[in-house]
Amino acid sequence: MYPDRVVSGMRPTGALHLGHYHGALKNWVKLQAELPCLFFVADWHALTTHYDDPSIIEASTWDMLVDWLAAGVDPSQATIFIQSRVPEHAELHLLLSMATPLGWLERVPTYKDQQEKLTDKDLATYGFLGYPLLQAADVLIYRANLVPVGDDQVPHVEMMREVARRFNHLYGKEKGFELKAQDAVKKLGSKRAKLYQELRTQFQEKGDADALEQAKAMLDDAQNLSMIDRERLFGYLEGSRKLILVEPQAKLTDASRLPGLDGQKMSKSYGNAIALREDKESVTKKLRTMPTDPARIRRTDVGDPERCPVWKLHQVYSSVEVRDWVVQGCKSAGIGCIECKQPVIDMILQEQEPMRERAQIYLDDPSLLRAIVADGCDKARKLAHETMRDVREAMGLAYGD
Ligand code: TRP
Ligand code: SF4
């Protein structure tokens, strides 16, 4: 009923590293060419955990946006914006909060986990509890059906679905819906109308999922329907409700988790990261000095790639041939560690080269970046308005609009 749409956000944590690139951005770049995408900086989400130190948010936001563009997120394909610049997210968050049971929020695993992990912060706050609901508003406001996220965020997307379902159940009851839906059926033309009725009965009485799919496909094809009638007919198929909000699905990023310099997950806080636009000398130095198999003390000692963080990088960056060369050379002490690292160094520098170039454009002229974001915010706001009009109406707040 609603067009395919992808929404994803990232909290502004400052300059991104290659782990963010492999874990998320690379996937965004691919998706933007396939589907309409909205990517935003979740600055309000950052405040839920950094409410005591807002001074870093603005700079982190701009840095991160440059990183996105550097990584190849393309403003001519995707809509790029800042969450707080589209205040409708907050309005939807508030309205959704009215009917969201506290238990749904308390049960989200990140709620307890983060409270336990970030012990230096008091996260027993209203804003932090509402984190996943704000995230639900971020997605539902665009009626997006796909949310690219890492696996830690899957419970958040599950909750969004429940929130959307509950909303439609509570507020999708349009006055005179039944009659309006029947009028819309007539507009299909007699042949299609008959088919629609048959398929609807088959689905509602026998739970025939094929019949439902067939009916949906028919509605997709019916050119002469208005948006609102189409919506009614979709809702009428499955029950007697209008679908105001769309239930989104998580789209898991292919698990290409990039290890850091010490073999653990790459993370700024572990001090094992390579920044997306780090300069060449620093990258080379970090890789030359990164640890290897601790058993290989002398050049003549044999090693085992399975115990070496460099090998994990080869698994991401190197061809089968190079990897064979590594395994052979390491186990026979045929190659030295510096020699072994060189192909990884080359590949990483090569990966970063276009990123540095693209970033330079925005560093030289920051007004370009501001214009891209202003344009993205406008586009996002337009879409958000459309949904909010329906949401307000459904919740008794239309006041004759
Ligand atoms: N919570 C997400 C994270 O920490 C960021 C985020 C906020 C998000 N709103 C979103 C992700 C909406 C996807 C969709 O990574
Ligand atoms: Fe690691 Fe390569 Fe040295 Fe073997 S040769 S220990 S894989 S860096």
Side-chain angles (χ1 to χ4, degrees):
M1 164 177 51
Y2 295 108
D4 277 332
R5 193 172 285 154
V6 176
V7 170
S8 199
M10 237 186 246
R11 301 194 301 161
T13 49
L16 300 182
H17 53 63
L18 289 176
H20 295 115
Y21 178 66
H22 286 267
L25 287 173
K26 209 163 71 174
N27 192 40
W28 287 13
V29 171
K30 191 167 135 254
L31 278 171
Q32 70 184 358
E34 296 165 2
L35 292 167
C37 290
L38 293 125
F39 299 128
F40 68 95
V41 181
D43 55 349
W44 280 332
H45 277 102
L47 278 175
T48 62
T49 50
H50 288 69
Y51 56 86
D52 54 349
D53 181 20
S55 64
I56 53 162
I57 295 203
E58 183 163 1
S60 302
T61 294
W62 294 122
D63 278 348
M64 191 165 83
L65 284 164
V66 172
D67 282 336
W68 289 4
L69 296 166
V73 177
D74 176 358
S76 71
Q77 300 186 70
T79 303
I80 302 170
F81 67 100
I82 299 172
Q83 182 185 38
S84 67
R85 292 278 136 153
V86 187
E88 285 80 0
H89 289 225
E91 186 187 0
L92 184 57
H93 178 206
L94 174 80
L95 292 177
L96 295 176
S97 78
M98 303 301 171
T100 301
L102 272 180
W104 288 12
L105 295 168
E106 287 160 347
R107 243 186 286 125
V108 172
T110 43
Y111 180 59
K112 285 251 146 54
D113 288 357
Q114 295 285 88
Q115 279 189 341
E116 280 161 19
K117 250 196 227 148
L118 306 174
T119 43
D120 54 328
K121 294 211 170 93
D122 179 5
L123 290 183
T125 56
Y126 182 55
F128 188 67
L129 179 67
Y131 186 110
L133 193 62
L134 177 58
Q135 189 169 350
D138 293 338
V139 172
L140 299 181
I141 202 161
Y142 301 109
R143 292 178 163 139
N145 53 341
L146 288 175
V147 190
V149 283
D151 45 10
D152 61 315
Q153 297 283 310
V154 170
H156 292 185
V157 180
E158 300 269 307
M159 205 201 76
M160 288 174 198
R161 300 169 59 79
E162 286 179 40
V163 170
R165 208 175 305 141
R166 183 164 168 89
F167 188 95
N168 291 331
H169 176 76
L170 285 171
Y171 308 113
K173 278 175 284 191
E174 191 183 16
K175 228 184 16 213
F177 178 79
E178 194 89 20
L179 281 176
K180 285 179 183 163
Q182 277 158 10
D183 273 349
V185 175
K186 286 192 200 119
K187 292 183 198 157
L188 284 170
S190 59
K191 234 169 104 188
R192 276 195 175 135
K194 187 157 165 273
L195 180 61
Y196 176 90
Q197 296 287 19
E198 282 167 10
L199 293 169
R200 177 173 183 264
T201 312
Q202 265 181 52
F203 173 68
Q204 296 207 340
E205 288 176 7
K206 305 203 189 79
D208 182 344
D210 282 346
L212 179 65
E213 284 316 305
Q214 226 182 310
K216 284 183 174 173
M218 182 183 79
L219 291 178
D220 278 333
D221 285 345
Q223 302 286 338
N224 54 338
L225 283 178
S226 67
M227 188 79 166
I228 183 86
D229 276 338
R230 191 187 306 270
E231 231 173 274
R232 287 191 184 109
L233 290 179
F234 271 100
Y236 191 52
L237 266 181
E238 295 184 65
S240 54
R241 300 266 192 267
K242 214 165 67 157
L243 298 178
I244 301 170
L245 298 178
V246 171
E247 289 182 37
Q249 301 242 323
K251 188 169 169 37
L252 276 177
T253 311
D254 305 326
S256 59
R257 190 165 274 182
L258 189 72
L261 296 164
D262 56 0
Q264 292 192 83
K265 178 181 173 224
M266 187 176 282
S267 159
K268 202 160 83 180
S269 56
Y270 297 163
N272 64 359
I274 297 174
L276 206 76
R277 302 180 263 129
E278 191 156 332
D279 67 76
K280 289 184 196 164
E281 292 68 35
S282 165
V283 173
T284 308
K285 187 165 164 235
K286 277 186 180 172
L287 290 163
R288 289 232 170 98
T289 53
M290 77 179 271
T292 59
D293 174 0
R296 266 203 104 180
I297 300 162
R298 271 165 259 114
R299 167 70 177 78
T300 47
D301 296 333
V302 297
D304 178 1
E306 292 304 329
R307 284 199 299 259
C308 175
V310 180
W311 172 239
K312 291 192 183 166
L313 291 177
H314 274 295
Q315 285 172 313
V316 175
Y317 285 104
S318 299
S319 64
V320 185
E321 291 75 29
V322 173
R323 294 202 304 250
D324 285 347
W325 169 80
V326 171
V327 173
Q328 279 281 332
C330 181
K331 291 188 166 173
S332 63
I335 59 173
C337 290
I338 289 285
E339 204 181 342
C340 175
K341 286 171 173 176
Q342 196 55 46
V344 172
I345 297 177
D346 293 341
M347 289 304 284
I348 292 183
L349 292 179
Q350 192 185 324
E351 176 172 79
Q352 288 176 313
E353 191 57 36
M355 300 196 203
R356 281 190 213 94
E357 275 170 29
R358 277 191 292 255
Q360 200 55 46
I361 303 170
Y362 302 103
L363 298 175
D364 290 343
D365 184 357
S367 72
L368 286 176
L369 177 58
R370 281 165 206 266
I372 287 169
V373 173
D375 181 53
C377 291
D378 280 345
K379 286 194 185 129
R381 239 178 266 127
K382 281 211 182 76
L383 295 172
H385 273 166
E386 284 173 27
T387 309
M388 287 314 293
R389 200 194 317 115
D390 294 351
V391 167
R392 286 189 207 116
E393 185 189 73
M395 292 184 76
L397 306 167
Y399 299 109
D401 274 1

